[in-house]
Amino acid sequence: MAIGSSIDGRDSVLRDRLRTLRDLPLLSDGEELVAAATIADGREAENELAALGSRPNIDLATAAELMERVRRGEAARDLLIGSTRRLVVSLARRHPNTAEVTLALLDAGDEAVGRAADRYDPTGGLPFSSFARWWVERAMREVDRHPSQGRDETPTPADPVLLTALGHLHREDTRVVELRLGLHGGPPLSDEDTARVLGIGTDEEHEREERAVAKLRHPCTPGDLTHLRTL
């Protein structure tokens, strides 16, 4: 395929995707936090509803209230995901590729937004769009690395708590952790190799690494990573 036709095909895919998203609302940072809190409340209600079902006598009014909270939580999740899908298109534009791979990037990004919505902790005050960006970029890097693989073949690190916390770090700090622990889709790198990939000196890499670990261990970071000592 000629370069020009490849670019035209990619741009057509992106335009078509944006066209399907034009009626979805955009949320402010505050509205994202409210939606996330509603999602969390819906999940709590779902647990309460499950516990209620094990009782011999069910209070129908209580059950109806819990079901409504669950419904509101599901609606808030759909709203949060939908409002972030334009970000997926924006990030996909940064990956020059064929129309087919661009479509794979978009699909992987949409799935990543859903995973981010299920892991997002609004108590830290970070906007969901900022948290979701890390998940989307990580998913798209996997597509770039293995464009012919199915999405189910993407390797997933074993520690979901660490993954959730990473989305709350600054991008520079996150990148060091990804490279050192092999969360970028390749093997874990040494501090020297990490510095080489980032184009910085080893001393600066050590400073970023120490800063990242300190932030991950901080009690305000979602999840309990206070046990983390080093990468």
Side-chain angles (χ1 to χ4, degrees):
M1 179 182 294
I3 294 178
S5 60
S6 176
I7 293 175
D8 290 342
R10 166 181 171 272
D11 289 345
S12 178
V13 168
L14 294 172
R15 285 195 301 269
D16 288 345
R17 182 57 59 92
L18 280 177
R19 193 175 298 115
T20 67
L21 305 178
R22 61 188 175 189
D23 294 330
L24 293 177
L26 291 173
L27 301 183
S28 66
D29 292 352
E31 289 171 333
E32 288 182 348
L33 293 174
V34 170
T38 304
I39 295 171
D41 181 69
R43 289 177 183 143
E44 181 180 346
E46 193 171 8
N47 292 333
E48 293 178 22
L49 191 61
L52 190 66
S54 63
R55 299 176 184 176
N57 297 315
I58 298 178
D59 185 333
L60 296 181
T62 300
E65 180 183 351
L66 291 173
M67 290 177 66
E68 175 60 19
R69 287 168 58 192
V70 172
R71 185 200 65 78
R72 289 198 298 265
E74 292 174 346
R77 182 179 185 275
D78 290 341
L79 178 64
L80 193 62
I81 291 173
S83 70
T84 313
R85 291 185 63 198
R86 290 184 183 85
L87 173 65
V88 174
V89 179
S90 176
L91 294 176
R93 288 187 185 278
R94 303 180 181 181
H95 298 250
N97 233 311
T98 64
E100 181 180 6
V101 176
T102 297
L103 186 58
L105 289 168
L106 293 172
D107 290 345
D110 284 344
E111 289 188 4
V113 171
R115 290 195 296 273
D118 292 334
R119 298 185 184 279
Y120 179 56
D121 182 351
T123 59
L126 181 75
F128 175 72
S129 52
S130 299
F131 177 74
R133 176 185 290 269
W134 180 80
W135 287 86
V136 173
E137 289 179 335
R138 177 174 175 269
M140 289 184 176
R141 284 199 300 272
E142 288 298 332
V143 173
D144 284 338
R145 182 177 290 273
H146 307 292
S148 61
Q149 287 187 354
R151 288 189 297 271
D152 293 339
E153 299 177 47
T154 300
T156 301
D159 189 346
V161 175
L162 176 59
L163 287 178
T164 298
L166 281 177
H168 289 263
L169 296 186
H170 188 277
R171 187 177 301 180
E172 288 185 354
D173 299 331
T174 300
R175 189 60 174 152
V176 169
V177 178
E178 288 179 327
L179 294 171
R180 293 288 281 122
L181 297 183
L183 303 183
H184 59 299
L189 301 183
S190 66
D191 52 355
E192 292 87 355
D193 288 339
T194 296
R196 189 176 300 110
V197 170
L198 296 177
I200 59 178
T202 304
D203 289 343
E204 183 176 349
E205 190 281 336
H206 290 166
E207 291 179 4
R208 291 191 189 181
E209 184 174 321
E210 291 176 1
R211 182 174 64 212
V213 171
K215 289 180 179 179
L216 288 171
R217 294 180 63 240
H218 196 280
C220 291
T221 300
D224 184 5
L225 288 169
T226 54
H227 64 281
L228 186 65
R229 299 298 177 186
T230 182
L231 299 180

